[in-house]
Amino acid sequence: MALTRLIGWICAAAAALMLAACGGGGSPGDVHPGTDPAIVKSEPNAFLLFPNPQVQPDGSLQTTSPAYAQAYYAAIDPNNAKDTLAKWKAANGFDTGTGTQVTVVFGDVRDLGFGRRITGRQNVDGTLAFYAENYLVKTGGAYAFSPINLEAAIVRDVNALVYAAGIEFSPGPAGGVSFAKYFNFNVATGARENMADVDGRGDKAMPGPCIVCHGGRAEALTPRDASGNVHFNLLPNAVSGARGDVLGQLPPFEVSSFQFSDKPGYTRADQEPMLKTMNKWVLCSYPLPAPSTAPEDACRRTASSGEWQGSAATLIKAAYGGDRLPTAAYVEPAAPASWAAAGQTSLYETVVAPACRVCHLLRGTGRQSDIDFTTYEKFQSYTSRIFATVIDRGNMPLAKLVYDMFHASSGETVLANFLVGHGFPARDASGAVLRPGRPIADPGPDRVVRRGATPLSASNSLFADTYAWSMISGPNGAVPPRDAILTNANTAQPTFNATTDGTYVVSLEASKASARSAPKLLSLVVQSALTPEPNAIRFADIKAALQEGQQCQGCHAPASALHPPIAFTSYDRDGDGAIGATDDAWFYAEVRSRINFTEIAASALLQKPAGQHHFGGLGNGFDTSLTPGQPGRAKYDLFQNWILNGAPQ
């Protein structure tokens, strides 16, 4: 995904950009490189989908719904001044003779294989806009990744034009600081469209297919206000202060990954000057974390400490020779010093650069930037998540083409060696690299429960359709355990029932056809005095925990100089001049946005206060080095049991 591809994959096609940087949840058909499973229209495909797609109580995914796109466009274009391609181009000054406008044509071989014709412009006021025509020659109705797509872009073959997309970097409707906005247009009518199918694998709602790679966040929509309207959420660490600012960025154009024609006017040498111009414009959109005397940085505003720090600027500068961008042609940068010092140059060159880099470069903040993978140490700190998402779940890389290319490359072996070296079983008994698609048992996280009936669930298990639960041990190591039973033990949702306090261990195995998972153990700590009872926990309990003292809300406040990603204090969220029930409902939606219902332990609401990649350290009551039920992790247990019960309001 590079804005390299930036714009090519700009959003409608832009979404294609997805390197390996983000996460969703894989489905069995999606995780076998080179194969294309049947697309079920009612089930949005996991590629180009956020790992937390805002699962609703009815099981639907809010971020893939038309309502999500409608709320997004209402936020960035409330008067529909840009609801057609013609109006959008006019609003952004295309073909007016003012400003600077250039066009590039190339084949984007690393993302979705489109032939791309991108026209970009920088207006006299510094705003930017890129219009992308995306060409794909289909064979038998299927997506065919071929150099012929580049030829189609050169001749502008209308029969091969599959996406028309726009991205702009400009102030919001109320003015202020510029931010990136994403548009998708119908190739036949020019009308703006809510949904985009950029890889033949199902429609997804804007701006999701773009911002999964562009560094953006997909928070839940607000509940309905007094007028019955839902709104796109306002992100506290958005410097613009505008709804619709999803913190998405403009990725660099990674010229070394493009395919060019040998036709005069379309060779790499012919295209390099325009591509460098576009990369300089992209650089202008990045905030500047420290003063610079380099002339190319004069157009960059000063970064807030709570926002992304423009990490991708290093890539652009390195590709053009450093400060002042002295070289004319883009040269793939060498592995950064920390990777070389750690002896991990191959890991960077075969895994990070082609499959992770640009998307991750667009994430993080000045306070906490581990996720940008700019150093080996940052990448290493995510080892457990890399194993879970690449080897087990198969939701990274998050674009289908990048996924296939990664698993067909030497990078797959290099990453497996890295993971094995860190104690993760990335190879099977014969030494073969494991790939997603094998059954994975997931009984959920260890937890503390009350005596009596406790529902269990294997619903987060992967690539399986049959389940076998069994009791392993009880209090004091009793085998078989006494005073507890499992009912419906061969279903996805059995019931555990204990009459005596203590720690019980349950095992789950998951299967599909003849393939069987390794057993996964679940510890259930039964405490008769546990309060509140897990199924009685409501948002009021969570709110009280978040607002207790100043541990969390001291930083997580709307006026905080730290610019946190979410505010835990009570304030006038809906702007009606009072703090009431509607504000609480909006607060609930924001907190629920921090839950990953497809992988509960990965929820930001649990990870961040527990000190995992969190500026500020460990919160009281969130010490996960302790076993469930111990006082030092009481708040973590409270939050976890609330989530396991569906996070009811």
Side-chain angles (χ1 to χ4, degrees):
M1 332 154 269
L3 180 57
T4 318
R5 308 164 237 199
L6 149 62
I7 301 174
W9 89 288
I10 249 180
C11 229
L17 241 174
M18 282 317 316
L19 272 194
C22 321
S27 70
D30 293 339
V31 295
H32 301 289
T35 64
D36 286 327
I39 301 303
V40 180
K41 284 297 184 182
S42 62
E43 299 177 4
N45 188 272
F47 290 104
L48 305 179
L49 183 66
F50 274 98
N52 180 13
Q54 307 305 334
V55 179
Q56 301 301 290
D58 64 0
S60 64
L61 308 182
Q62 189 185 85
T63 60
T64 67
S65 67
Y68 200 77
Q70 291 163 5
Y72 174 67
Y73 285 135
I76 63 172
D77 183 28
N79 298 317
N80 287 324
K82 303 173 184 176
D83 60 357
T84 69
L85 177 58
K87 290 162 69 175
W88 179 84
K89 291 177 75 173
N92 283 287
F94 281 86
D95 306 321
T96 60
T98 61
T100 304
Q101 183 168 311
V102 297
T103 298
V104 296
V105 181
F106 58 87
D108 196 351
V109 300
R110 191 187 287 177
D111 292 315
L112 292 188
F114 290 118
R116 295 207 165 109
R117 176 180 287 268
I118 302 174
T119 300
R121 63 175 292 107
Q122 183 181 55
N123 294 307
V124 293
D125 60 359
T127 59
L128 306 171
F130 301 87
Y131 165 60
E133 295 175 359
N134 299 276
Y135 293 86
L136 184 71
V137 178
K138 299 180 182 179
T139 302
Y143 276 57
F145 306 113
S146 164
I148 198 171
N149 297 335
L150 171 56
E151 298 305 309
I154 290 173
V155 302
R156 304 186 80 172
D157 180 357
V158 295
N159 294 316
L161 178 60
V162 291
Y163 298 117
I167 183 170
E168 65 179 76
F169 180 75
S170 62
V177 172
S178 291
F179 60 94
K181 308 171 190 67
Y182 308 90
F183 297 81
N184 173 42
F185 300 102
N186 185 286
V187 296
T189 67
R192 189 174 66 200
E193 294 193 322
N194 293 326
M195 312 297 287
D197 178 3
V198 302
D199 57 3
R201 305 177 67 79
D203 280 339
K204 296 179 179 66
M206 294 292 291
C210 310
I211 64 175
V212 281
C213 174
H214 285 234
R217 280 172 49 191
E219 303 294 282
L221 302 178
T222 70
R224 298 191 183 279
D225 61 16
S227 300
N229 299 315
V230 297
H231 301 274
F232 220 72
N233 225 316
L234 179 63
L235 303 183
N237 56 337
V239 175
S240 68
R243 293 191 188 278
D245 183 354
V246 294
L247 305 181
Q249 308 297 335
L250 309 183
F253 286 89
E254 291 185 345
V255 182
S256 57
S257 71
F258 295 164
Q259 181 185 76
F260 296 91
S261 174
D262 57 3
K263 293 183 177 180
Y266 298 97
T267 67
R268 176 167 179 171
D270 293 326
Q271 299 294 299
E272 281 276 14
M274 287 81 76
L275 285 163
K276 182 176 182 180
T277 294
M278 287 187 174
N279 268 327
K280 290 173 68 175
W281 292 345
V282 170
L283 184 62
C284 285
S285 73
Y286 296 166
L288 188 65
S292 170
T293 59
E296 68 273 12
D297 293 330
C299 56
R300 300 169 63 187
R301 66 170 175 80
T302 301
S304 155
S305 63
E307 68 173 323
W308 178 68
Q309 301 292 291
S311 305
T314 301
L315 177 64
I316 294 177
K317 291 197 174 194
Y320 290 106
D323 279 347
R324 300 183 180 275
L325 312 181
T327 60
Y330 183 104
V331 176
E332 176 64 25
S338 68
W339 295 82
Q344 296 290 347
T345 298
S346 178
L347 179 65
Y348 181 85
E349 292 177 345
T350 64
V351 178
V352 177
C356 314
R357 181 175 63 193
V358 171
C359 183
H360 278 272
L361 271 179
L362 302 180
R363 296 189 176 275
T365 71
R367 296 285 177 177
Q368 210 296 304
S369 61
D370 289 359
I371 200 170
D372 68 16
F373 291 177
T374 52
T375 68
Y376 170 70
E377 291 73 21
K378 291 180 179 181
F379 183 85
Q380 186 180 37
S381 73
Y382 272 88
T383 303
S384 63
R385 296 301 305 142
I386 292 168
F387 177 79
T389 56
V390 177
I391 304 299
D392 280 354
R393 305 190 69 84
N395 58 0
M396 287 197 208
L398 196 55
K400 180 63 167 64
L401 178 59
V402 181
Y403 177 94
D404 286 346
M405 292 175 67
F406 169 75
H407 285 288
S409 74
S410 62
E412 182 185 58
T413 298
V414 173
L415 180 63
N417 291 341
F418 164 79
L419 292 170
V420 170
H422 284 77
F424 291 87
R427 294 181 181 273
D428 64 18
S430 67
V433 175
L434 291 176
R435 286 182 173 177
R438 68 199 188 283
I440 303 289
D442 184 355
D446 295 342
R447 71 202 71 159
V448 59
V449 301
R450 288 275 290 268
R451 291 183 188 179
T454 296
L456 304 181
S457 177
S459 61
N460 286 335
S461 298
L462 303 171
F463 321 119
D465 52 21
T466 57
Y467 309 94
W469 299 77
S470 60
M471 298 286 295
I472 301 300
S473 65
N476 302 314
V479 180
R482 299 181 294 272
D483 305 319
I485 58 172
L486 274 175
T487 56
N488 299 317
N490 291 320
T491 69
Q493 295 180 318
T495 299
F496 168 80
N497 196 316
T499 57
T500 301
D501 284 6
T503 299
Y504 297 79
V505 178
V506 175
S507 175
L508 170 65
E509 291 186 14
S511 305
K512 188 174 184 66
S514 62
R516 181 178 294 272
S517 75
K520 181 66 179 295
L521 301 182
L522 167 67
S523 291
L524 298 165
V525 179
V526 177
Q527 292 183 351
S528 57
L530 177 65
T531 56
E533 186 176 349
N535 63 10
I537 302 171
R538 295 296 183 267
F539 178 61
D541 302 298
I542 304 304
K543 175 183 173 182
L546 292 172
Q547 295 184 341
E548 182 180 342
Q550 291 296 305
Q551 177 113 29
C552 293
Q553 64 178 344
C555 296
H556 288 264
S560 171
L562 299 179
H563 300 288
I566 182 173
F568 294 148
T569 55
S570 295
Y571 69 97
D572 183 14
R573 283 174 156 83
D574 64 352
D576 67 353
I579 301 176
T582 301
D583 297 297
D584 249 15
W586 286 30
F587 186 14
Y588 166 71
E590 292 173 11
V591 172
R592 200 175 188 278
S593 291
R594 312 293 284 175
I595 299 171
N596 184 342
F597 284 100
T598 60
E599 197 178 358
I600 289 172
S603 299
L605 185 62
L606 293 175
Q607 286 194 324
K608 296 300 183 178
Q612 298 181 53
H613 303 284
H614 178 250
F615 175 78
L618 191 69
N620 289 338
F622 285 92
D623 187 352
T624 53
S625 68
L626 303 175
T627 58
Q630 292 189 263
R633 59 170 279 164
K635 286 186 179 179
Y636 186 95
D637 290 338
L638 175 76
F639 283 31
Q640 180 177 264
N641 276 328
W642 178 61
I643 295 169
L644 287 165
N645 194 35
Q649 188 173 1

